[in-house]
């Protein structure tokens, strides 16, 4: 398996713990990253085993995407309460995007451009959530590893039980959440579905992604498999769907079609 390529899915953020687990079994990793999203992990840039793939130029959103994101968050908080991903689909989602664009004095007229902008909004917002969850857990792990400066003040200097030991981590694996899973997967396949190598395996660190695919195709959830000295994976070989299923109509099903999907155990 070490000569094969892992396609990180649907994450655009590669935590160090996940990178190490994946590279223990794969020779390289492809990270699909939307336009105007940069890495905060320095090691990605210095590791020739990691390749960053961007969407096609034809799906590139306006250069002021960050401003549009800010306007979108503001509008959502004022109208429906903040939600991390655009929850509407079809005409409702298009109206929301156009509303956000009008705040910047711009208007997107081409349907493909409208979809591309929606997909970028979804993945940028999901990236923010993943980073915040991971950063919170990393900070808590550092606090637990260090002796609390309050220990002596509360007469626990000789205690083997740390002040923060009982605080739980959110999870060793990322969770996207059922409500947001469909738009996130649709956005990812919409931007990158046609740019993926045929022999690459989709590798996720979110258990709900594997469950979603298993339910979509009616396969059972597999047991984890482990090679000596390597990470544990749950693997689903998804069937190829009918050629009548087009990417434009069902990007998630068409994107999964004929693919191998693997969940890496990062615990």
């Amino acid at each position: 398996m070490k000569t094969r390529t892992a396609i990180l899915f649907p994450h655009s953020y590669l935590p160090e713990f996940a990178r190490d687990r994946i590279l223990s079994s794969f020779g390289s990793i492809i990270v699909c990253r939307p336009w105007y999203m940069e890495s905060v992990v320095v090691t990605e840039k210095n590791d020739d085993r990691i390749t960053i793939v961007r969407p096609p130029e034809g799906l590139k959103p306006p250069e002021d995407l960050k401003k549009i994101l800010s306007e979108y968050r503001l509008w959502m908080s004022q109208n429906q309460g903040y939600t991390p991903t655009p929850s509407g689909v079809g005409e409702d989602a298009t109206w929301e995007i156009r509303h956000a664009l009008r705040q910047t004095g711009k208007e997107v007229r081409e349907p493909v451009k409208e979809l591309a902008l929606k997909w970028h909004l979804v993945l940028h917002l999901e990236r923010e959530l993943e980073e915040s969850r991971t950063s919170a857990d990393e900070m808590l792990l550092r606090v637990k590893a260090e002796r609390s400066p309050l220990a002596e003040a509360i007469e626990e200097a000789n205690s083997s039980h740390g002040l923060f030991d009982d605080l739980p981590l959110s999870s060793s694996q990322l969770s996207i959440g059922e409500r947001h899973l469909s738009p996130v997967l649709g956005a990812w396949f919409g931007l990158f579905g046609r740019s993926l190598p045929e022999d690459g395996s989709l590798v996720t660190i979110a258990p709900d992604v594997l469950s979603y695919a298993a339910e979509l195709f009616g396969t059972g959830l597999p047991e984890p498999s482990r090679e000596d000295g390597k990470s544990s994976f749950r693997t689903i070989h998804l069937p190829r769907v009918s050629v009548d299923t087009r990417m434009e109509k069902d990007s998630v099903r068409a994107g999964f079609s004929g693919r191998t999907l693997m969940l890496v155990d990062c615990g």
Side-chain angles (χ1 to χ4, degrees):
M1 191 183 291
K2 284 286 285 186
T3 60
R4 296 183 61 188
T5 298
I7 304 169
L8 189 67
F9 172 79
H11 322 284
S12 53
Y13 170 60
L14 179 62
E16 289 192 36
F17 67 83
R19 179 202 64 196
D20 295 340
R21 298 292 175 89
I22 295 172
L23 287 175
S24 72
S25 297
F26 286 85
S28 60
I29 303 174
I30 292 176
V31 180
C32 296
R33 187 161 291 155
W35 291 106
Y36 309 120
M37 180 187 291
E38 302 306 325
S39 173
V40 296
V41 182
V42 177
T43 51
E44 281 187 11
K45 301 177 182 178
N46 301 326
D47 195 331
D48 58 8
R49 297 170 297 177
I50 300 174
T51 301
I52 307 299
V53 172
R54 301 285 185 180
E57 284 283 343
L59 299 180
K60 196 170 187 177
E63 292 183 1
D64 58 350
L65 178 65
K66 295 292 186 181
K67 182 179 180 181
I68 297 173
L69 277 166
S70 178
E71 295 286 349
Y72 183 85
R73 292 191 203 97
L74 177 62
W75 181 82
M76 289 299 295
S77 65
Q78 292 176 342
N79 289 269
Q80 300 177 8
Y82 177 74
T83 181
T85 59
S87 56
V89 293
E91 293 181 0
D92 290 341
T94 299
W95 184 87
E96 291 173 3
I97 292 169
R98 284 175 173 164
H99 181 95
L101 284 173
R102 280 198 293 271
Q103 304 301 312
T104 65
K106 295 181 179 293
E107 182 68 38
V108 176
R109 301 181 184 278
E110 300 176 43
V112 173
K113 289 289 188 179
E114 289 180 350
L115 282 174
L117 176 57
K118 173 189 172 183
W119 294 334
H120 275 83
L121 287 172
V122 169
L123 295 185
H124 272 265
L125 292 168
E126 178 59 29
R127 158 73 175 267
E128 292 177 8
L129 287 178
E130 287 194 358
E131 282 187 336
S132 64
R133 286 191 293 260
T134 302
S135 297
D137 280 352
E138 289 176 349
M139 182 179 297
L140 184 54
L141 284 172
R142 287 197 299 270
V143 170
K144 287 184 175 184
E146 297 175 0
R147 183 172 177 275
S148 170
L150 300 177
E152 292 184 6
I154 58 177
E155 299 181 352
E156 291 187 356
N158 297 321
S159 174
S160 60
H161 186 76
L163 186 62
F164 300 102
D165 286 353
D166 293 330
L167 291 178
L169 298 176
S170 60
S171 175
S172 60
Q173 294 172 309
L174 294 178
S175 175
I176 296 176
E178 183 178 354
R179 179 185 177 190
H180 306 132
L181 197 53
S182 180
V184 168
L185 299 184
W188 194 92
F189 279 124
L191 291 177
F192 305 106
R194 293 185 175 87
S195 305
L196 305 178
E198 288 294 330
D199 58 347
S201 298
L202 300 177
V203 176
T204 185
I205 51 179
D208 38 7
V209 171
L210 193 75
S211 299
Y212 183 93
E215 182 176 352
L216 183 65
F217 284 86
T219 66
L221 286 173
E223 294 297 322
S225 61
R226 183 187 296 273
E227 300 177 42
D228 291 341
K230 297 182 180 180
S231 295
S232 174
F233 290 88
R234 292 176 184 265
T235 303
I236 295 179
H237 300 286
L238 298 168
R240 190 169 296 278
V241 298
S242 168
V243 294
D244 294 333
T245 300
R246 298 183 179 181
M247 185 70 75
E248 292 83 355
K249 293 185 177 180
D250 190 346
S251 61
V252 176
R253 186 181 293 273
F256 275 137
S257 174
R259 288 281 179 184
T260 296
L261 175 63
M262 309 178 76
L263 169 67
V264 60
D265 180 8
C266 294

